Amino acid sequence: MPELPEVERARALIEERALGREIVAVDDADTYVCRPHVPGELSDALVGSQFTSAHRRGKTMWVATDRGPVLGLHLGMAGKIVIGDAEAGEPKPDGPVLHPVWDRFTVEFADGSALILRDKRRLGRAVLDPIIDHLGPDAAEVTRKAFRERVGHGAAPLKARIMDQSVIAGVGNLLADEALWQARLSPLRPAGELDDTELDRLRNAIRAATRSAMRKGGVHTGELIPHRTRDGHCPRCGSPMSRATVGGRTTYWCPTDQT
Ligand SMILES: [Zn+2]
């Protein structure tokens, strides 16, 4: 499932390859992915304009245009952004498309390239002028002061607190387990019990895990991730991993050194 690092890679791809090109066609026929818009609404808003900048907060991404409308893109559970380029022999809307059934939303440019939301599970979104007010600061960029204030209170288990997108945005299930393990903090601790030293350690661990995942290609590359199995052992001390549902998600942690 895409978490902050995967979405940042998608944002960077759009920034690198989809800005400054005239939009000549938009396939917005998938009324579920493009809800609440009706077919043609996204097309009417975007055709004739150019994307000017690509932004992200947490797992939400949006692309600004030179004429005003903003295109929000969300990767959902399994979506990815593909930039098709005729010259590179990659798929484009009117050419050989590798996964036509999975291409839920397509923006075609005058030079023959295209931006595609490819999503096997159809849980991604394309929406005009997305609302991002409900999101907390980005988990990779939140300041130490804001992190202490936002994360460090309440009775909710620590893992649920850092996955609450209104508290900080971008931490999903795998990134949460990895960062808590790196910071040696139990996912079950009430968030309000942490002192400033522990909160700073957690913030650093989230940032480090995010940077590492961006560099290595995704959250699945985390050091703990291969050991998140029923018979898994802590790669640091060898203890059998504990497993429980925390904040509605399957959680693994080391009962010996995560306290
Ligand atoms: Zn351990």
Side-chain angles (χ1 to χ4, degrees):
M1 173 180 176
E3 297 192 29
L4 190 159
E6 285 82 0
V7 181
E8 173 56 24
R9 285 168 72 94
R11 188 207 64 79
L13 179 67
I14 293 172
E15 185 173 81
E16 186 187 331
R17 297 190 53 195
L19 302 186
R21 304 175 183 202
E22 189 195 345
I23 297 168
V24 293
V26 173
D27 179 352
D28 60 0
D30 190 320
T31 53
Y32 184 69
V33 168
C34 298
R35 68 188 184 280
H37 304 297
V38 296
E41 204 175 337
L42 283 149
S43 176
D44 288 347
L46 296 173
V47 169
S49 60
Q50 301 181 357
F51 293 135
T52 52
S53 55
H55 308 266
R56 179 192 59 75
R57 193 195 293 177
K59 295 180 263 188
T60 296
M61 191 165 41
W62 64 97
V63 192
T65 64
D66 58 347
R67 293 188 183 176
V70 173
L71 172 66
L73 293 168
H74 205 282
L75 300 179
M77 295 288 282
K80 60 179 182 176
I81 296 295
V82 175
I83 307 292
D85 188 328
E87 286 180 22
E90 291 169 11
K92 59 175 194 151
D94 58 350
V97 177
L98 292 176
H99 301 292
V101 178
W102 298 342
D103 292 347
R104 312 295 182 181
F105 176 76
T106 302
V107 175
E108 196 179 337
F109 302 108
D111 66 357
S113 66
L115 181 159
I116 300 164
L117 173 60
R118 180 164 295 161
D119 184 4
K120 198 172 178 177
R121 295 191 54 188
R122 207 182 175 211
L123 292 168
R125 293 284 299 273
V127 64
L128 283 176
D129 301 321
I131 296 162
I132 57 162
D133 297 349
H134 61 291
L135 295 172
D138 187 79
E141 291 167 18
V142 60
T143 64
R144 182 184 300 172
K145 181 169 177 291
F147 189 90
R148 287 178 179 178
E149 286 169 2
R150 301 182 75 90
V151 174
H153 65 88
L158 186 54
K159 180 174 175 182
R161 188 87 189 149
I162 61 173
M163 286 183 65
D164 181 340
Q165 302 297 302
S166 69
V167 173
I168 51 169
V171 178
N173 197 35
L174 295 185
L175 195 59
D177 279 7
E178 175 74 19
L180 288 166
W181 179 78
Q182 294 282 0
R184 301 178 187 239
L185 292 167
S186 167
L188 306 176
R189 283 270 295 279
E193 279 187 8
L194 273 73
D195 62 30
D196 283 349
T197 308
E198 291 172 321
L199 288 165
D200 292 351
R201 202 163 80 221
L202 179 56
R203 172 175 167 271
N204 288 338
I206 290 172
R207 288 156 57 96
T210 301
R211 279 196 302 271
S212 172
M214 283 181 197
R215 203 170 52 241
K216 294 178 180 170
V219 289
H220 63 280
T221 62
E223 197 178 343
L224 177 73
I225 307 307
H227 308 279
R228 293 176 78 262
T229 60
R230 283 178 183 274
D231 56 356
H233 289 75
C234 173
R236 192 162 46 210
C237 73
S239 297
M241 298 296 291
S242 293
R243 177 180 185 273
T245 301
V246 183
R249 304 300 297 275
T250 301
T251 299
Y252 288 89
W253 73 99
C254 171
T256 303
D257 52 20
Q258 286 181 254
T259 55

